[in-house]
PDB file of all heavy atoms in Angstrom:
ATOM      1  N   PRO A  45    -261.038   1.023 -68.257  1.00  0.00           N
ATOM      2  CA  PRO A  45    -261.859  -0.120 -68.653  1.00  0.00           C
ATOM      3  C   PRO A  45    -262.436  -0.002 -70.059  1.00  0.00           C
ATOM      4  O   PRO A  45    -262.987  -0.983 -70.584  1.00  0.00           O
ATOM      5  CB  PRO A  45    -262.976  -0.134 -67.601  1.00  0.00           C
ATOM      6  CG  PRO A  45    -263.066   1.281 -67.130  1.00  0.00           C
ATOM      7  CD  PRO A  45    -261.666   1.821 -67.184  1.00  0.00           C
ATOM      8  N   PHE A  46    -262.310   1.149 -70.672  1.00  0.00           N
ATOM      9  CA  PHE A  46    -262.853   1.342 -72.019  1.00  0.00           C
ATOM     10  C   PHE A  46    -261.797   1.207 -73.110  1.00  0.00           C
ATOM     11  O   PHE A  46    -262.099   1.308 -74.293  1.00  0.00           O
ATOM     12  CB  PHE A  46    -263.558   2.699 -72.107  1.00  0.00           C
ATOM     13  CG  PHE A  46    -264.791   2.768 -71.251  1.00  0.00           C
ATOM     14  CD1 PHE A  46    -264.731   3.268 -69.960  1.00  0.00           C
ATOM     15  CD2 PHE A  46    -266.013   2.290 -71.713  1.00  0.00           C
ATOM     16  CE1 PHE A  46    -265.861   3.304 -69.153  1.00  0.00           C
ATOM     17  CE2 PHE A  46    -267.147   2.323 -70.916  1.00  0.00           C
ATOM     18  CZ  PHE A  46    -267.073   2.832 -69.625  1.00  0.00           C
ATOM     19  N   SER A  47    -260.565   0.953 -72.701  1.00  0.00           N
ATOM     20  CA  SER A  47    -259.511   0.707 -73.683  1.00  0.00           C
ATOM     21  C   SER A  47    -259.668  -0.694 -74.263  1.00  0.00           C
ATOM     22  O   SER A  47    -260.067  -1.625 -73.570  1.00  0.00           O
ATOM     23  CB  SER A  47    -258.131   0.847 -73.024  1.00  0.00           C
ATOM     24  OG  SER A  47    -257.112   0.410 -73.908  1.00  0.00           O
ATOM     25  N   GLU A  48    -259.312  -0.853 -75.531  1.00  0.00           N
ATOM     26  CA  GLU A  48    -259.328  -2.175 -76.162  1.00  0.00           C
ATOM     27  C   GLU A  48    -257.993  -2.884 -76.001  1.00  0.00           C
ATOM     28  O   GLU A  48    -257.850  -4.037 -76.417  1.00  0.00           O
ATOM     29  CB  GLU A  48    -259.696  -2.048 -77.644  1.00  0.00           C
ATOM     30  CG  GLU A  48    -261.144  -1.656 -77.897  1.00  0.00           C
ATOM     31  CD  GLU A  48    -262.150  -2.678 -77.366  1.00  0.00           C
ATOM     32  OE1 GLU A  48    -261.785  -3.862 -77.238  1.00  0.00           O
ATOM     33  OE2 GLU A  48    -263.288  -2.289 -77.059  1.00  0.00           O
ATOM     34  N   GLU A  49    -257.008  -2.203 -75.415  1.00  0.00           N
ATOM     35  CA  GLU A  49    -255.729  -2.845 -75.149  1.00  0.00           C
ATOM     36  C   GLU A  49    -255.783  -3.609 -73.824  1.00  0.00           C
ATOM     37  O   GLU A  49    -256.576  -3.286 -72.940  1.00  0.00           O
ATOM     38  CB  GLU A  49    -254.610  -1.796 -75.046  1.00  0.00           C
ATOM     39  CG  GLU A  49    -254.283  -1.086 -76.337  1.00  0.00           C
ATOM     40  CD  GLU A  49    -253.136  -0.116 -76.153  1.00  0.00           C
ATOM     41  OE1 GLU A  49    -253.266   0.805 -75.320  1.00  0.00           O
ATOM     42  OE2 GLU A  49    -252.120  -0.277 -76.851  1.00  0.00           O
ATOM     43  N   ILE A  50    -254.924  -4.629 -73.693  1.00  0.00           N
ATOM     44  CA  ILE A  50    -254.786  -5.302 -72.405  1.00  0.00           C
ATOM     45  C   ILE A  50    -254.442  -4.258 -71.347  1.00  0.00           C
ATOM     46  O   ILE A  50    -253.680  -3.318 -71.609  1.00  0.00           O
ATOM     47  CB  ILE A  50    -253.689  -6.371 -72.486  1.00  0.00           C
ATOM     48  CG1 ILE A  50    -254.078  -7.443 -73.504  1.00  0.00           C
ATOM     49  CG2 ILE A  50    -253.439  -7.010 -71.122  1.00  0.00           C
ATOM     50  CD1 ILE A  50    -252.999  -8.457 -73.762  1.00  0.00           C
ATOM     51  N   GLU A  51    -254.993  -4.412 -70.160  1.00  0.00           N
ATOM     52  CA  GLU A  51    -254.905  -3.340 -69.172  1.00  0.00           C
ATOM     53  C   GLU A  51    -253.475  -2.910 -68.869  1.00  0.00           C
ATOM     54  O   GLU A  51    -253.187  -1.706 -68.734  1.00  0.00           O
ATOM     55  CB  GLU A  51    -255.645  -3.722 -67.880  1.00  0.00           C
ATOM     56  CG  GLU A  51    -254.954  -4.704 -66.949  1.00  0.00           C
ATOM     57  CD  GLU A  51    -255.260  -6.159 -67.249  1.00  0.00           C
ATOM     58  OE1 GLU A  51    -255.700  -6.467 -68.372  1.00  0.00           O
ATOM     59  OE2 GLU A  51    -255.049  -6.985 -66.361  1.00  0.00           O
ATOM     60  N   HIS A  52    -252.537  -3.864 -68.776  1.00  0.00           N
ATOM     61  CA  HIS A  52    -251.156  -3.493 -68.464  1.00  0.00           C
ATOM     62  C   HIS A  52    -250.508  -2.755 -69.637  1.00  0.00           C
ATOM     63  O   HIS A  52    -249.763  -1.789 -69.436  1.00  0.00           O
ATOM     64  CB  HIS A  52    -250.331  -4.727 -68.122  1.00  0.00           C
ATOM     65  CG  HIS A  52    -250.735  -5.393 -66.861  1.00  0.00           C
ATOM     66  ND1 HIS A  52    -250.967  -4.712 -65.684  1.00  0.00           N
ATOM     67  CD2 HIS A  52    -250.964  -6.705 -66.568  1.00  0.00           C
ATOM     68  CE1 HIS A  52    -251.310  -5.554 -64.738  1.00  0.00           C
ATOM     69  NE2 HIS A  52    -251.318  -6.772 -65.248  1.00  0.00           N
ATOM     70  N   VAL A  53    -250.752  -3.211 -70.841  1.00  0.00           N
ATOM     71  CA  VAL A  53    -250.150  -2.583 -72.020  1.00  0.00           C
ATOM     72  C   VAL A  53    -250.596  -1.125 -72.109  1.00  0.00           C
ATOM     73  O   VAL A  53    -249.794  -0.212 -72.348  1.00  0.00           O
ATOM     74  CB  VAL A  53    -250.521  -3.356 -73.297  1.00  0.00           C
ATOM     75  CG1 VAL A  53    -250.012  -2.613 -74.543  1.00  0.00           C
ATOM     76  CG2 VAL A  53    -249.946  -4.768 -73.250  1.00  0.00           C
ATOM     77  N   ASN A  54    -251.882  -0.890 -71.906  1.00  0.00           N
ATOM     78  CA  ASN A  54    -252.402   0.477 -71.940  1.00  0.00           C
ATOM     79  C   ASN A  54    -251.835   1.309 -70.800  1.00  0.00           C
ATOM     80  O   ASN A  54    -251.410   2.460 -70.995  1.00  0.00           O
ATOM     81  CB  ASN A  54    -253.930   0.437 -71.864  1.00  0.00           C
ATOM     82  CG  ASN A  54    -254.560   1.814 -71.856  1.00  0.00           C
ATOM     83  OD1 ASN A  54    -254.905   2.349 -70.802  1.00  0.00           O
ATOM     84  ND2 ASN A  54    -254.715   2.380 -73.034  1.00  0.00           N
ATOM     85  N   PHE A  55    -251.802   0.733 -69.601  1.00  0.00           N
ATOM     86  CA  PHE A  55    -251.299   1.446 -68.419  1.00  0.00           C
ATOM     87  C   PHE A  55    -249.834   1.834 -68.592  1.00  0.00           C
ATOM     88  O   PHE A  55    -249.437   2.983 -68.335  1.00  0.00           O
ATOM     89  CB  PHE A  55    -251.477   0.564 -67.181  1.00  0.00           C
ATOM     90  CG  PHE A  55    -251.077   1.209 -65.891  1.00  0.00           C
ATOM     91  CD1 PHE A  55    -251.975   1.984 -65.179  1.00  0.00           C
ATOM     92  CD2 PHE A  55    -249.798   1.041 -65.376  1.00  0.00           C
ATOM     93  CE1 PHE A  55    -251.608   2.587 -63.978  1.00  0.00           C
ATOM     94  CE2 PHE A  55    -249.425   1.630 -64.186  1.00  0.00           C
ATOM     95  CZ  PHE A  55    -250.335   2.407 -63.483  1.00  0.00           C
ATOM     96  N   PHE A  56    -249.006   0.899 -69.063  1.00  0.00           N
ATOM     97  CA  PHE A  56    -247.580   1.181 -69.180  1.00  0.00           C
ATOM     98  C   PHE A  56    -247.265   2.104 -70.352  1.00  0.00           C
ATOM     99  O   PHE A  56    -246.242   2.801 -70.336  1.00  0.00           O
ATOM    100  CB  PHE A  56    -246.789  -0.121 -69.271  1.00  0.00           C
ATOM    101  CG  PHE A  56    -246.715  -0.852 -67.968  1.00  0.00           C
ATOM    102  CD1 PHE A  56    -247.095  -2.184 -67.870  1.00  0.00           C
ATOM    103  CD2 PHE A  56    -246.288  -0.211 -66.817  1.00  0.00           C
ATOM    104  CE1 PHE A  56    -247.043  -2.859 -66.664  1.00  0.00           C
ATOM    105  CE2 PHE A  56    -246.233  -0.869 -65.599  1.00  0.00           C
ATOM    106  CZ  PHE A  56    -246.606  -2.196 -65.523  1.00  0.00           C
ATOM    107  N   SER A  57    -248.115   2.118 -71.352  1.00  0.00           N
ATOM    108  CA  SER A  57    -247.937   3.095 -72.422  1.00  0.00           C
ATOM    109  C   SER A  57    -248.059   4.513 -71.859  1.00  0.00           C
ATOM    110  O   SER A  57    -247.258   5.405 -72.193  1.00  0.00           O
ATOM    111  CB  SER A  57    -248.990   2.870 -73.515  1.00  0.00           C
ATOM    112  OG  SER A  57    -248.902   3.864 -74.519  1.00  0.00           O
ATOM    113  N   LYS A  58    -249.019   4.714 -70.983  1.00  0.00           N
ATOM    114  CA  LYS A  58    -249.184   6.023 -70.339  1.00  0.00           C
ATOM    115  C   LYS A  58    -248.023   6.313 -69.394  1.00  0.00           C
ATOM    116  O   LYS A  58    -247.557   7.457 -69.305  1.00  0.00           O
ATOM    117  CB  LYS A  58    -250.505   6.055 -69.568  1.00  0.00           C
ATOM    118  CG  LYS A  58    -251.746   5.921 -70.441  1.00  0.00           C
ATOM    119  CD  LYS A  58    -252.995   5.829 -69.585  1.00  0.00           C
ATOM    120  CE  LYS A  58    -254.242   5.613 -70.412  1.00  0.00           C
ATOM    121  NZ  LYS A  58    -255.446   5.420 -69.572  1.00  0.00           N
ATOM    122  N   ALA A  59    -247.554   5.287 -68.686  1.00  0.00           N
ATOM    123  CA  ALA A  59    -246.429   5.480 -67.768  1.00  0.00           C
ATOM    124  C   ALA A  59    -245.166   5.872 -68.522  1.00  0.00           C
ATOM    125  O   ALA A  59    -244.434   6.779 -68.102  1.00  0.00           O
ATOM    126  CB  ALA A  59    -246.199   4.208 -66.955  1.00  0.00           C
ATOM    127  N   ARG A  60    -244.895   5.195 -69.623  1.00  0.00           N
ATOM    128  CA  ARG A  60    -243.694   5.516 -70.402  1.00  0.00           C
ATOM    129  C   ARG A  60    -243.770   6.929 -70.976  1.00  0.00           C
ATOM    130  O   ARG A  60    -242.751   7.624 -71.090  1.00  0.00           O
ATOM    131  CB  ARG A  60    -243.500   4.495 -71.515  1.00  0.00           C
ATOM    132  CG  ARG A  60    -243.012   3.143 -70.998  1.00  0.00           C
ATOM    133  CD  ARG A  60    -242.688   2.159 -72.099  1.00  0.00           C
ATOM    134  NE  ARG A  60    -243.868   1.703 -72.796  1.00  0.00           N
ATOM    135  CZ  ARG A  60    -244.229   2.062 -74.009  1.00  0.00           C
ATOM    136  NH1 ARG A  60    -243.480   2.923 -74.693  1.00  0.00           N
ATOM    137  NH2 ARG A  60    -245.330   1.594 -74.569  1.00  0.00           N
ATOM    138  N   ALA A  61    -244.973   7.377 -71.298  1.00  0.00           N
ATOM    139  CA  ALA A  61    -245.147   8.744 -71.802  1.00  0.00           C
ATOM    140  C   ALA A  61    -244.794   9.778 -70.744  1.00  0.00           C
ATOM    141  O   ALA A  61    -244.449  10.918 -71.071  1.00  0.00           O
ATOM    142  CB  ALA A  61    -246.589   8.944 -72.280  1.00  0.00           C
ATOM    143  N   LYS A  62    -244.860   9.377 -69.474  1.00  0.00           N
ATOM    144  CA  LYS A  62    -244.483  10.258 -68.372  1.00  0.00           C
ATOM    145  C   LYS A  62    -243.024  10.078 -67.957  1.00  0.00           C
ATOM    146  O   LYS A  62    -242.585  10.629 -66.954  1.00  0.00           O
ATOM    147  CB  LYS A  62    -245.392  10.004 -67.160  1.00  0.00           C
ATOM    148  CG  LYS A  62    -246.828  10.472 -67.342  1.00  0.00           C
ATOM    149  CD  LYS A  62    -247.656  10.150 -66.103  1.00  0.00           C
ATOM    150  CE  LYS A  62    -249.048  10.745 -66.183  1.00  0.00           C
ATOM    151  NZ  LYS A  62    -249.051  12.214 -65.990  1.00  0.00           N
ATOM    152  N   GLY A  63    -242.283   9.272 -68.717  1.00  0.00           N
ATOM    153  CA  GLY A  63    -240.862   9.091 -68.438  1.00  0.00           C
ATOM    154  C   GLY A  63    -240.529   7.944 -67.503  1.00  0.00           C
ATOM    155  O   GLY A  63    -239.371   7.814 -67.081  1.00  0.00           O
ATOM    156  N   ILE A  64    -241.503   7.106 -67.168  1.00  0.00           N
ATOM    157  CA  ILE A  64    -241.264   5.971 -66.276  1.00  0.00           C
ATOM    158  C   ILE A  64    -240.554   4.855 -67.033  1.00  0.00           C
ATOM    159  O   ILE A  64    -240.946   4.492 -68.147  1.00  0.00           O
ATOM    160  CB  ILE A  64    -242.581   5.446 -65.689  1.00  0.00           C
ATOM    161  CG1 ILE A  64    -243.318   6.557 -64.922  1.00  0.00           C
ATOM    162  CG2 ILE A  64    -242.338   4.240 -64.789  1.00  0.00           C
ATOM    163  CD1 ILE A  64    -242.571   7.107 -63.738  1.00  0.00           C
ATOM    164  N   LYS A  65    -239.523   4.301 -66.434  1.00  0.00           N
ATOM    165  CA  LYS A  65    -238.800   3.176 -67.008  1.00  0.00           C
ATOM    166  C   LYS A  65    -239.398   1.869 -66.494  1.00  0.00           C
ATOM    167  O   LYS A  65    -239.788   1.764 -65.323  1.00  0.00           O
ATOM    168  CB  LYS A  65    -237.315   3.231 -66.654  1.00  0.00           C
ATOM    169  CG  LYS A  65    -236.610   4.526 -67.072  1.00  0.00           C
ATOM    170  CD  LYS A  65    -236.511   4.663 -68.572  1.00  0.00           C
ATOM    171  CE  LYS A  65    -235.683   5.877 -68.959  1.00  0.00           C
ATOM    172  NZ  LYS A  65    -235.601   6.052 -70.433  1.00  0.00           N
ATOM    173  N   ILE A  66    -239.427   0.862 -67.369  1.00  0.00           N
ATOM    174  CA  ILE A  66    -239.966  -0.449 -67.023  1.00  0.00           C
ATOM    175  C   ILE A  66    -238.906  -1.485 -67.354  1.00  0.00           C
ATOM    176  O   ILE A  66    -238.373  -1.504 -68.468  1.00  0.00           O
ATOM    177  CB  ILE A  66    -241.256  -0.737 -67.815  1.00  0.00           C
ATOM    178  CG1 ILE A  66    -242.278   0.374 -67.582  1.00  0.00           C
ATOM    179  CG2 ILE A  66    -241.840  -2.094 -67.426  1.00  0.00           C
ATOM    180  CD1 ILE A  66    -243.353   0.453 -68.638  1.00  0.00           C
ATOM    181  N   TYR A  67    -238.613  -2.363 -66.386  1.00  0.00           N
ATOM    182  CA  TYR A  67    -237.555  -3.364 -66.574  1.00  0.00           C
ATOM    183  C   TYR A  67    -238.087  -4.767 -66.298  1.00  0.00           C
ATOM    184  O   TYR A  67    -238.928  -4.969 -65.417  1.00  0.00           O
ATOM    185  CB  TYR A  67    -236.380  -3.083 -65.634  1.00  0.00           C
ATOM    186  CG  TYR A  67    -235.649  -1.801 -65.939  1.00  0.00           C
ATOM    187  CD1 TYR A  67    -235.959  -0.623 -65.252  1.00  0.00           C
ATOM    188  CD2 TYR A  67    -234.658  -1.754 -66.917  1.00  0.00           C
ATOM    189  CE1 TYR A  67    -235.299   0.565 -65.542  1.00  0.00           C
ATOM    190  CE2 TYR A  67    -233.993  -0.578 -67.211  1.00  0.00           C
ATOM    191  CZ  TYR A  67    -234.313   0.582 -66.520  1.00  0.00           C
ATOM    192  OH  TYR A  67    -233.661   1.754 -66.812  1.00  0.00           O
ATOM    193  N   ALA A  68    -237.560  -5.724 -67.046  1.00  0.00           N
ATOM    194  CA  ALA A  68    -237.777  -7.150 -66.767  1.00  0.00           C
ATOM    195  C   ALA A  68    -236.413  -7.767 -66.483  1.00  0.00           C
ATOM    196  O   ALA A  68    -235.464  -7.571 -67.247  1.00  0.00           O
ATOM    197  CB  ALA A  68    -238.436  -7.836 -67.959  1.00  0.00           C
ATOM    198  N   ASP A  69    -236.333  -8.503 -65.367  1.00  0.00           N
ATOM    199  CA  ASP A  69    -235.045  -9.032 -64.921  1.00  0.00           C
ATOM    200  C   ASP A  69    -235.113 -10.551 -64.777  1.00  0.00           C
ATOM    201  O   ASP A  69    -235.842 -11.066 -63.923  1.00  0.00           O
ATOM    202  CB  ASP A  69    -234.664  -8.401 -63.587  1.00  0.00           C
ATOM    203  CG  ASP A  69    -233.216  -8.649 -63.213  1.00  0.00           C
ATOM    204  OD1 ASP A  69    -232.691  -9.732 -63.533  1.00  0.00           O
ATOM    205  OD2 ASP A  69    -232.595  -7.761 -62.592  1.00  0.00           O
ATOM    206  N   PRO A  70    -234.345 -11.294 -65.598  1.00  0.00           N
ATOM    207  CA  PRO A  70    -234.389 -12.753 -65.538  1.00  0.00           C
ATOM    208  C   PRO A  70    -233.710 -13.357 -64.321  1.00  0.00           C
ATOM    209  O   PRO A  70    -233.816 -14.570 -64.107  1.00  0.00           O
ATOM    210  CB  PRO A  70    -233.664 -13.175 -66.827  1.00  0.00           C
ATOM    211  CG  PRO A  70    -232.714 -12.052 -67.100  1.00  0.00           C
ATOM    212  CD  PRO A  70    -233.445 -10.813 -66.653  1.00  0.00           C
ATOM    213  N   SER A  71    -233.024 -12.544 -63.529  1.00  0.00           N
ATOM    214  CA  SER A  71    -232.372 -13.092 -62.329  1.00  0.00           C
ATOM    215  C   SER A  71    -233.391 -13.434 -61.247  1.00  0.00           C
ATOM    216  O   SER A  71    -233.061 -14.102 -60.265  1.00  0.00           O
ATOM    217  CB  SER A  71    -231.341 -12.098 -61.778  1.00  0.00           C
ATOM    218  OG  SER A  71    -231.968 -10.954 -61.216  1.00  0.00           O
ATOM    219  N   ILE A  72    -234.630 -12.976 -61.407  1.00  0.00           N
ATOM    220  CA  ILE A  72    -235.715 -13.284 -60.471  1.00  0.00           C
ATOM    221  C   ILE A  72    -236.809 -13.992 -61.266  1.00  0.00           C
ATOM    222  O   ILE A  72    -237.215 -13.519 -62.330  1.00  0.00           O
ATOM    223  CB  ILE A  72    -236.277 -12.012 -59.813  1.00  0.00           C
ATOM    224  CG1 ILE A  72    -235.155 -11.166 -59.218  1.00  0.00           C
ATOM    225  CG2 ILE A  72    -237.297 -12.380 -58.730  1.00  0.00           C
ATOM    226  CD1 ILE A  72    -235.609  -9.812 -58.725  1.00  0.00           C
TER     227      ILE A  72
END
């Protein structure tokens, strides 16, 4: 809650640093 980034952007930045892949799929 103390980050100035939007919550998802901050959260996924940390996730990607741990090697997590994030995908967006236009078929859904």
Side-chain angles (χ1 to χ4, degrees):
F46 293 94
S47 171
E48 290 298 335
E49 292 182 301
I50 297 174
E51 76 271 19
H52 293 313
V53 174
N54 178 262
F55 183 87
F56 287 127
S57 176
K58 296 175 183 176
R60 286 186 291 106
K62 290 179 173 287
I64 302 298
K65 303 292 186 181
I66 304 160
Y67 294 96
D69 193 325
S71 70
I72 309 172

